[in-house]
Amino acid sequence: MLDRLQDTPPDALLALIKQFAADEREDKIDLGVGVYRTDDGATPVFAAVKAAERRLLDEQDSKSYLGPEGDSGFVNALMPIVFGSDATMGGRIDGLQTPGGTGAVRLAIAIAQKAGVTRVHVGTPSWPNHIPIITDVGLEAPTFSHANADGSADADALLEIIRAGREGDAVLIHACCHNPTGIDYSPEQWDEIAEALSTSPVLPIIDIAYQGLGEGLEEDAAGLRKVLAKVPYALVAYSCDKNFGLYRDRVGAFYAKVAEPAQLGAALSNAAALARANWSMPPDHGGAVVRIALRDEEMRQTWLDELTGMRERLRWVRSYLAKADGKVDGVPLGHLEDQNGLFAMLPLNKDQIAKLRDDHAVYMAGSGRINIAGLTKGNIDKFVAALADVSA
C-alpha cells in the first residue's frame, strides 16, 4: 500500500538553509529563515523568558497532563494583550492553548469546517502554509489579491470578497505584520473591513502571529479589535513564537468569539475535541513561561522593553533601506519604511535571486521575500550594493 505514495517536492526553504550552511564565505547573508535576529545576527532567548524559566524550574511540582485545553492560565493571561481591557467581551471570547500559531490556524480552520464553512478566501501572497492547511482540512481556498503594485494593501479586493460573500464562506486575514509582504491595512481600511463584515455572512478568521513587531502591541491589535467589535462570530489564531522568541517551544492560542455567552461552551468543547484528535494536548513549557512572564510585573516590563528593542531595530532596517532607494535601479525600496514586521517582498526574478546567491552570498527565498532582520549595520551596505549589481 505504501508503494502508492509519490515523492513530494522538497521544501524550498529547507533547501535554502542547507545551501547557506554549506557556503564557506564569511560575509554571507541569510535573509531566508523567518526568525528575528539582533544586530549581531543572533536569535537569543529573551531575558524575560530566562527569568520565567528559572521560576518554572523552581516552582513546577508536576509534569502531569494538562488536557487538550492546555494551560488555561496562559490563555487567560494573554487575552488582555490581544483583545484589550474587556478581554472576554462580556463572556463571548475564550480559547485554548495550541502547539504554535500553526496549530491555532489548523484548529480555526477545522472549527470553521465543522460549523459549515466550505471555502476560506485567502489574500495572496500569504504565508505558504495557509492554503495547504485549508485544503488538507478539505475546504476550498480561493484567492484574491492582498497587495497593490505600489506597496499598499489592496483593501478593495478584500471588501469585494466580504460584500459578495455567501453562507459557508470564511476569509483569512492577517492582523498585522503581513507575512510575506509586510503590507498591512491602514486604520481607515480596517474601519471599512469591520463595517463590511458586520453585515456579511462571511466568517472572519484572523491570524495574529507578530503582535508587537509592527507599530506596537496596541496598534498591532487595533484592526482585529475593530472587527471583533462589529461581528457576532470570529476565530483568532495567535502565536507567541515571534514576540516571545519561543520558536521551538511551539506556543500558540486559539480563540473563538460568539454572539451570545451561552454559545461559548459549545464552541470550546468542539475545539477541545478537535485538539484531542489532532495533537491530544499542547506542550506545556512555553505556555507556562508566557503565563509566568505576563503575571509578574518585573518580567512583563522586561518583555515589553525587549519587544520595543526588536521593533525599533526592524524600523531602523526599513528606514535605512528606504533611504537607499535611489541607489538601486528597478528595485523599489522607499515603500519598505511604510510596512511592518519581519518580512518584505522585492520584485526580483529568479536569475537575479540566483546571482545574489552565487556572486554575493545573499540568500533569500525564490519568491523575492526577505527577512529584514537578517540585515545588520555590518552587512546592509553590502546588500544594497548587491541589489544594485543584479539590477544593473
Side-chain angles (χ1 to χ4, degrees), residues 36-38 42-54 211-213 240-247 249 289-290 293 299-311:
Y36 176 78
R37 289 192 172 93
T38 66
T43 304
V45 180
F46 284 27
V49 167
K50 281 288 191 184
E53 286 180 318
R54 283 190 290 269
Q211 188 186 6
L213 296 182
C240 294
D241 293 351
K242 288 83 179 176
N243 59 7
F244 278 88
L246 289 165
Y247 303 96
D249 287 323
V289 164
V290 172
M299 291 183 201
R300 180 189 177 99
Q301 188 58 53
T302 299
W303 169 63
L304 290 173
D305 292 343
E306 291 178 290
L307 198 54
T308 297
M310 294 169 68
R311 184 168 61 250

Side-chain angles (χ1 to χ4, degrees), residues 12-13 16 31-32 125-128 179-181 343-354 357 363-371:
L13 184 57
L16 191 69
L31 304 180
S126 191
W127 178 50
N179 180 1
T181 68
F343 303 114
M345 294 287 290
L346 299 181
L348 300 170
N349 60 44
K350 292 182 179 180
D351 291 339
Q352 290 172 312
I353 292 171
R357 182 180 64 247
Y363 287 78
M364 59 188 292
S367 63
R369 187 202 81 167
I370 62 168
N371 173 12

Side-chain angles (χ1 to χ4, degrees), residues 332-348:
L333 299 174
H335 62 280
L336 297 183
E337 192 167 19
D338 299 323
Q339 299 171 2
N340 293 312
L342 285 176
F343 303 114
M345 294 287 290
L346 299 181
L348 300 170

Side-chain angles (χ1 to χ4, degrees), residues 99-112:
T102 303
V105 171
R106 175 78 188 205
L107 191 54
I109 300 301
I111 280 285

